[in-house]
Amino acid sequence: MISGDRLPTIETPRLRLRWMEARDVPALFEIFGDAETVRYWSRPALRDLGEAEGYLADIHRRFAEHSLYQWGVAKRDDDRVIGTCSLFDLSAPHKRAEIGFAIHRAEWRKGFASEASGAIAQYAFDVLRLHRLDADVDPRNHGSIRCLEGLGFQKEGYARECYHVGDEIQDSVLYGLLARELHRR
C-alpha cells in the first residue's frame, strides 16, 4: 500500500499523474459533470461544483482508508487535469485491485487513457507488487475496451444487468491483466 498523506506523482511523456487538490474541482466537474463522458460509468453525472467538491473529498477520504488511489491525469505542459486514473477495491492479501479511468471528452482519441492507465498498471505491478488488475467496462464503450485490450487485458467474462444508473440497466464486460502479461509487452 502507499504510505504518506498523498499519492506519488507519476510522469509519462505527455502526462503527470498527480494528487488532486481543491484547485482541481472545476476540472473534476467538467469531466464528471459531462453526461457523455460518464455515459458508461456506474454513477450519474455530477450536477454542480458542490458535488465535485464532495467527490474530491470522497477521493481523499478513501485514499486515507487505502480503498482508492485516484490520480488526476494532467497534461505536463500546463498541469491541467483532463481526467483521472484509479486503483480501487485494493486487496493486499490477494495482491489485486481494479483499475478505472476517465478522460474529458475533448481529449478523447489522443491516447491519453492508454498512456495514463499503462503507467498506473506499471506502478501497480512494480511498486505496489500487485499480481493482478481487474477492469469492468460497459460493452458499448468501445474506446475503453480498445484501451484495455491494447494494454494486454484479456476478456474473462460478461456480467448481465449489473449496474443500475438512472433509468438504465447496464451490462459489464470483465477484463483481467496479470503482472507477467504486462511485462511481456
Side-chain angles (χ1 to χ4, degrees):
M1 298 295 149
I2 297 174
S3 60
D5 63 347
R6 59 182 34 211
L7 292 167
T9 299
I10 300 170
E11 303 268 343
T12 72
R14 299 180 297 162
L15 302 172
R16 179 175 295 114
L17 310 176
R18 64 169 176 79
W19 181 254
M20 289 183 288
E21 301 172 342
R23 67 185 167 107
D24 300 310
V25 166
L28 283 173
F29 178 63
E30 283 184 35
I31 297 159
F32 294 99
D34 178 59
E36 185 67 22
T37 298
V38 298
R39 170 72 176 95
Y40 301 119
W41 271 60
S42 57
R43 60 183 292 165
L46 299 175
R47 294 178 298 212
D48 54 41
L49 281 173
E51 283 192 2
E53 289 172 351
Y55 186 49
L56 181 61
D58 187 56
I59 290 168
H60 289 169
R61 178 186 57 77
R62 291 182 62 199
F63 169 78
E65 297 168 351
H66 297 286
S67 65
L68 171 74
Y69 298 153
Q70 188 164 355
W71 283 264
V73 176
K75 289 183 173 181
R76 285 181 68 164
D77 60 357
D78 64 6
D79 203 39
R80 182 177 53 90
V81 170
I82 60 164
T84 68
C85 193
S86 310
L87 294 172
F88 57 99
D89 289 341
L90 293 109
S91 172
H94 299 291
K95 299 182 184 309
R96 63 158 301 280
E98 291 190 47
I99 190 170
F101 48 87
I103 301 294
H104 190 285
R105 182 167 32 125
E107 303 294 347
W108 287 356
R109 294 173 192 76
K110 298 177 183 176
F112 292 131
S114 294
E115 190 172 329
S117 55
I120 295 302
Q122 194 77 50
Y123 181 85
F125 293 139
D126 292 350
V127 178
L128 298 179
R129 310 304 296 167
L130 297 182
H131 175 73
R132 176 185 172 86
L133 290 176
D134 295 316
D136 75 89
V137 60
D138 189 298
R140 301 167 294 177
N141 190 343
H142 303 291
S144 290
I145 288 171
R146 278 192 305 276
C147 175
L148 291 168
E149 290 176 347
L151 292 172
F153 277 80
Q154 298 191 26
K155 184 177 177 181
E156 297 180 339
Y158 195 95
R160 298 174 302 137
E161 300 182 9
C162 66
Y163 292 111
H164 293 250
V165 181
D167 296 332
E168 184 177 64
I169 299 174
Q170 299 175 346
D171 295 344
S172 183
V173 181
L174 309 174
Y175 281 86
L177 178 69
L178 304 178
R180 66 179 175 265
E181 294 167 338
L182 182 69
H183 291 294
R184 271 192 280 169
R185 292 180 60 243

